[in-house]
Amino acid sequence: MTRTFRILIVLLVLAAGAFFLLTGSDPWVAEQPTPSAREIQNVRAVLQEASSGNVQGDPIDVSFDDAQLRSLAALASQGLPPNRFKTRLEDDTLTVTLSRPFWFRWLNVQTAISGESEGFPELRMKVGAVRFPGWLSRKMLNLGHRLIAAKGVAVQPLDKLVQSTRITDGKAEATLLLPEPAQVQQAFSDDPLIIDPAVAADIYCRLSEQQRGSKQKLLEQQLGRALAASSESREQHAAALVALAMFVVDPTVGRLAGVAPDAIETCKPRGQAITLQGRADWAKHWSLSAALAVTTGDQFANSMGEWKELADSGARSPKLAPKDPSGFSFADLSADRSGMLTARRLTNPSHLVQAREWAMEADGQQLLPEDLIELGDGIGEAEFKRQFGGIETPRFLEQVEKIDRELRKGWDR
């Protein structure tokens, strides 16, 4: 046996040993239950309060208790599969646990933060059976940060992302500079979709200029305009969908792709509601879901639509428009899924040419068929639970598949 061969055998044994030490046969985090309407409302309220009045690019102050953090972990688990998250907040220590499949094993990571910090806090990290000291944990995080930056993601330094923390008396407080949702998607995706914010801003300004010259109130007309202002590529189509949502919902939607307010300061349109099948709220659902799909990924966009409807099932007031009734709405969910599925086709290299042609000629019936409008609307939380049990039950998933089948019919018209 040659010396080189012996060295190779030793390295393979060490690598195998490290693999089994750092991974486990079972996940540390059990499969998370679907968040309730109240949990979703509570997390949303905290985030809205923290970001109210916030200028894009400025840090925000957040404060969570244990229940809110557990709800946030459940939302993250559903929105970022196959990752599973769990949190525990006790006195002055916050513990965050992550489990995700890794080949035929599970990668389990647990981090703990205590006390107060200026800048990114010192972590105590455990990966599988191995505990890492604080200084080595930070080096591992820095390595991960550099690997993300190497993918072309414009990510801020760790000490700028987390500017301070304070864990005390069962509360977790922090000052954070939140990354753009598109940056999160790019960091975790194997095939990141890079959207140029300048392109999205330019298309938005073109939509505004065209509207001033020739007013069009239908979503399908604005979708055609947005795509006509883009070239035939997945990145350009993604930018067009972000611009469309900025135009239909609100210019601040541009934050999803990092569009700076001053880039569109001179091209805001005159106010006119854009409608889909006669409703402004459906146009907003459709366009926002399409923008979320290209900036955060299909799964997160899908979860956001379902979370919004779950939150509405326990709400007393509409969220997007005066005609948008409170309660779970399958018509709203249909508009969400139509926007998401259209975005998926427009950014799929195998389908984007045909999808572009279809989307530029589509009418309101193809974007949101009338048969789907007639599905349940304004269903209260108790009634939704009675009929479907939750958003992960076979009955609910069958209803979602029914919606998707009806939407796919429109692609052939």
Side-chain angles (χ1 to χ4, degrees):
M1 183 181 296
T2 66
R3 182 172 180 271
T4 301
F5 188 69
R6 287 196 298 270
I7 293 175
L8 180 61
I9 293 295
V10 170
L11 290 175
L12 287 174
V13 170
L14 289 174
F19 174 76
F20 281 96
L21 277 174
L22 295 173
T23 62
S25 58
D26 298 303
W28 289 351
V29 182
E31 190 169 357
Q32 296 292 294
T34 302
S36 69
R38 185 172 298 278
E39 287 176 322
I40 296 169
Q41 291 168 347
N42 287 342
V43 171
R44 182 165 60 182
V46 171
L47 295 177
Q48 286 178 338
E49 181 180 355
S51 59
S52 62
N54 174 255
V55 177
Q56 184 175 354
D58 285 352
I60 64 172
D61 296 318
V62 294
S63 177
F64 291 98
D65 60 26
D66 184 53
Q68 291 166 334
L69 284 169
R70 283 189 277 108
S71 299
L72 189 61
L75 291 175
S77 297
Q78 188 182 9
L80 297 170
N83 302 290
R84 299 179 183 180
F85 298 90
K86 181 176 69 176
T87 64
R88 185 177 72 253
L89 182 58
E90 293 181 338
D91 299 326
D92 65 344
T93 300
L94 169 63
T95 304
V96 181
T97 306
L98 161 69
S99 294
R100 64 169 292 141
F102 188 70
W103 288 356
F104 56 93
R105 305 271 287 176
W106 285 86
L107 178 63
N108 295 303
V109 180
Q110 188 174 83
T111 59
I113 307 168
S114 299
E116 300 184 28
S117 76
E118 290 297 325
F120 199 90
E122 180 176 323
L123 303 178
R124 300 185 301 279
M125 183 180 294
K126 181 181 180 183
V127 181
V130 182
R131 294 184 182 275
F132 295 91
W135 66 269
L136 187 53
S137 298
R138 180 60 183 260
K139 284 187 177 296
M140 293 171 64
L141 286 173
N142 286 336
L143 175 60
H145 185 274
R146 286 195 293 270
L147 290 175
I148 291 173
K151 296 171 65 175
V153 182
V155 59
Q156 296 284 354
L158 292 176
D159 285 329
K160 192 168 183 180
L161 289 172
V162 180
Q163 300 183 8
S164 68
T165 60
R166 185 171 183 264
I167 318 294
T168 183
D169 297 329
K171 280 278 188 181
E173 301 173 346
T175 300
L176 309 173
L177 181 62
L178 297 179
E180 305 298 343
Q183 293 174 337
V184 178
Q185 184 266 345
Q186 292 159 13
F188 287 96
S189 173
D190 295 328
D191 183 25
L193 181 57
I194 307 296
I195 302 174
D196 186 342
V199 174
D202 179 65
I203 296 174
Y204 169 77
C205 289
R206 292 194 201 185
L207 290 175
S208 301
E209 183 179 355
Q210 287 179 303
Q211 188 73 346
R212 286 193 293 269
S214 175
K215 293 187 180 299
Q216 300 287 354
K217 68 176 184 178
L218 302 181
L219 177 67
E220 54 264 36
Q221 295 167 328
Q222 298 298 340
L223 174 61
R225 283 178 171 180
L227 289 173
S230 69
S231 59
E232 197 175 274
S233 74
R234 63 194 299 258
E235 293 81 9
Q236 288 270 325
H237 287 173
L241 292 173
V242 171
L244 178 66
M246 294 168 62
F247 185 83
V248 174
V249 182
D250 191 270
T252 57
V253 174
R255 293 185 181 188
L256 291 170
V259 177
D262 57 5
I264 57 172
E265 191 173 12
T266 61
C267 48
K268 293 181 180 178
R270 296 175 182 174
Q272 179 180 7
I274 305 301
T275 63
L276 173 60
Q277 294 286 49
R279 291 261 297 260
D281 58 307
W282 289 336
K284 292 179 179 181
H285 275 279
W286 195 102
S287 55
L288 183 57
S289 289
L292 284 168
V294 298
T295 54
T296 66
D298 284 354
Q299 179 59 44
F300 198 80
N302 177 53
S303 296
M304 284 289 288
E306 293 174 352
W307 295 339
K308 188 269 178 190
E309 295 309 319
L310 266 183
D312 279 2
S313 74
R316 298 181 179 179
S317 60
K319 296 292 184 291
L320 286 180
K323 289 186 179 181
D324 185 12
S326 60
F328 195 105
S329 168
F330 280 104
D332 289 359
L333 187 63
S334 297
D336 291 332
R337 293 198 65 81
S338 180
M340 183 192 72
L341 293 174
T342 301
R344 180 189 297 174
R345 296 182 73 221
L346 283 168
T347 54
N348 184 330
S350 301
H351 301 292
L352 67 83
V353 175
Q354 303 95 314
R356 179 185 177 90
E357 294 174 355
W358 175 87
M360 292 184 71
E361 299 294 333
D363 57 24
Q365 173 66 13
Q366 290 169 292
L367 296 182
L368 185 59
E370 291 182 5
D371 287 349
L372 298 182
I373 294 174
E374 296 173 0
L375 296 176
D377 202 17
I379 304 173
E381 184 176 10
E383 179 63 18
F384 178 81
K385 287 182 178 179
R386 188 187 69 79
Q387 289 190 37
F388 297 98
I391 60 175
E392 294 181 346
T393 64
R395 280 178 293 171
F396 179 81
L397 296 177
E398 182 181 342
Q399 186 78 335
V400 172
E401 179 55 33
K402 177 182 177 181
I403 291 171
D404 290 353
R405 284 198 303 269
E406 187 64 29
L407 291 171
R408 284 192 286 268
K409 291 179 184 177
W411 299 347
D412 300 325
R413 293 172 187 157

